[in-house]
Amino acid sequence: MKTSQPGVVARVPLTRERVLAGAAEIADGSGIGALTMRSLAHALGAKPMSLYHHVANKDEILDALVDLVFSEVEVPSEAPDGWRAAMEARAHGMRAALARHPWAVGLMETRTTPGAANLRHHNATLGVLRRSGFSLDAAGHAYALMDSYIYGFALQEAGLPVGKPDSDPQVVQAMARSIPADELPYLAEMAMDRALQPDYRFSAEFDVGLAIILDGLAGLLPQHPERLLNNPT
Amino acid sequence: MKTSQPGVVARVPLTRERVLAGAAEIADGSGIGALTMRSLAHALGAKPMSLYHHVANKDEILDALVDLVFSEVEVPSEAPDGWRAAMEARAHGMRAALARHPWAVGLMETRTTPGAANLRHHNATLGVLRRSGFSLDAAGHAYALMDSYIYGFALQEAGLPVGKPDSDPQVVQAMARSIPADELPYLAEMAMDRALQPDYRFSAEFDVGLAIILDGLAGLLPQHPERLLNNPT
DNA sequence: ACCTGAACACCGTTCAAGT
DNA sequence: ACCTGAACACCGTTCAAGT
């Protein structure tokens, strides 16, 4: 059988789906820096120029990758348990997807044209808020706050030395221990007495911050007239 | 005078400082994608290889650029107006610096070795919190929450079509108007009735979310025993 | 010591040519 | 219709050679 080649998937016609799936696999496995048109083509058993028959250019691949991450997050439902449970589930789903694909959050800065899954996700989330009694302004505030938090948390997680390919606990320990306690006492304290403790997991911080944010958002509902909806100054 | 060249700064010896300042200027003016060893050398009136006598490689330049942004943010002071005013000032300063250098937040994902200004900034912020009565855990929670919010907000601002080089208001209007109101009603409503209103500015959302977060952090102080400090479950 | 010409192993992408 | 060889204009970086 001359079609089979060692280490390469047997001859299968290229499709846009196969190209995008291959791109995601490379980015997940070797980082976004390892994703080149040449490496992608090679992984698919084709030549670089063949890719251009299925995608316009690399930018289109990156746009599609971001939307692929959004498509993995379950769209917020009719909220049988109320808006708070729906927002918690969405936040957890979004953060999990961004943790599975650490390259995604860094890509968002440059990608300005949102994909279909992105739009659908945004629309559904806003829908839950609006139908739960949030005014248009309140829903806007809530969305900006929650998304900033989710994306920023994912950004910090992606930048952490832990959990990455080069995650040598000894290196992390050494880095933290190299903090000069006389010059940076508070940072040294935080590293030694908290972040480096064996039971500490940064990811657990997510729920703490999320609870504070959702508590605050509850105050934007009209049932809580003690807080002004629009201009809290 | 044969040393003067058209369009090029007269012969000045390269230094690490000049290299980094030039790199920041290119990134600010033309985007991080336009910053190459070759373009940087050309802007400094030198050849690409000369740069390697002052920096180890491009990675070192990117690390230094991120730290340069941190160095522009005033370090939180002894908090004469209390921790809340200090945290507000820090958040505003940090967000302003990230808005001035939109490429910085995207860089943070990949840069894992924090610079001196970064460490100093973190240490000072933690110091204000600790001396204001936040426990070690509470300060850790507060820091993760505030930084996630600040970075995430900056990430969203950097991704917005508005305020960028290609910020044609007609294009933005057209993009928003292309949202199918039957499929994505809540998104269309948010775009048309709020985000596209002439007096709307996304940057104003920052203070709304920040106030909610700081309100929540106040609840972590021991003076507020109604909220558990460590495990809010 | 500081600078640089030439070269190497890469990029994304175009174009003309193959089947 | 789908694929690709050759080529173009780029990258970051090394090495040996210049002053």
Side-chain angles (χ1 to χ4, degrees), chain A residues 35-38 49 52 57-58:
Chain A
L35 174 62
T36 69
M37 297 302 273
R38 287 163 146 93
M49 317 81 201
Y52 289 89
N57 47 37
K58 192 178 178 180

Side-chain angles (χ1 to χ4, degrees), chain A residues 27-110:
Chain A
D28 286 343
S30 315
I32 195 74
L35 174 62
T36 69
M37 297 302 273
R38 287 163 146 93
S39 70
L40 175 54
H42 183 77
L44 295 168
K47 302 294 166 184
M49 317 81 201
S50 307
L51 302 176
Y52 289 89
H53 288 275
H54 302 94
V55 292
N57 47 37
K58 192 178 178 180
D59 255 33
E60 194 178 291
I61 294 183
L62 296 181
D63 276 333
L65 281 186
V66 171
D67 212 49
L68 197 139
V69 173
F70 274 100
S71 77
E72 287 181 13
V73 182
E74 200 177 341
V75 161
S77 70
E78 244 331 298
D81 302 331
W83 67 270
R84 185 168 177 136
M87 290 303 107
E88 259 168 9
R90 173 189 98 90
H92 285 145
M94 193 76 226
R95 179 189 154 272
L98 291 173
R100 277 195 303 272
H101 312 293
W103 42 265
V105 66
L107 236 47
M108 290 180 173
E109 174 213 6
T110 29

Side-chain angles (χ1 to χ4, degrees), chain B residues 60-107:
Chain B
E60 195 179 288
I61 294 182
L62 297 181
D63 276 334
L65 280 186
V66 170
D67 212 49
L68 197 140
V69 174
F70 274 101
S71 76
E72 287 181 12
V73 183
E74 199 176 342
V75 160
S77 69
E78 242 333 298
D81 301 331
W83 67 270
R84 185 165 176 138
M87 290 303 107
E88 260 169 7
R90 174 188 99 90
H92 286 145
M94 192 78 226
R95 179 189 154 271
L98 291 173
R100 278 195 302 272
H101 312 293
W103 42 265
V105 66
L107 237 47

Side-chain angles (χ1 to χ4, degrees), chain B residues 164-180:
Chain B
K164 303 199 95 181
D166 61 328
S167 161
D168 187 345
Q170 302 229 313
V171 173
V172 177
Q173 288 255 346
M175 198 187 304
R177 243 183 278 276
S178 75
I179 300 174

Side-chain angles (χ1 to χ4, degrees), chain B residues 148-218:
Chain B
S148 292
Y149 178 64
I150 295 167
Y151 296 156
F153 195 92
L155 193 73
Q156 292 196 80
E157 267 194 314
L160 282 180
V162 199
K164 303 199 95 181
D166 61 328
S167 161
D168 187 345
Q170 302 229 313
V171 173
V172 177
Q173 288 255 346
M175 198 187 304
R177 243 183 278 276
S178 75
I179 300 174
D182 50 341
E183 276 179 57
L184 305 166
Y186 298 103
L187 202 60
E189 177 194 41
M190 187 61 71
M192 302 306 294
D193 298 349
R194 197 173 111 97
L196 277 183
Q197 291 304 303
D199 57 341
Y200 178 76
R201 281 170 56 254
F202 180 73
S203 58
E205 299 281 5
F206 188 71
D207 283 331
V208 180
L210 184 60
I212 289 177
I213 287 174
L214 294 178
D215 283 350
L217 294 186

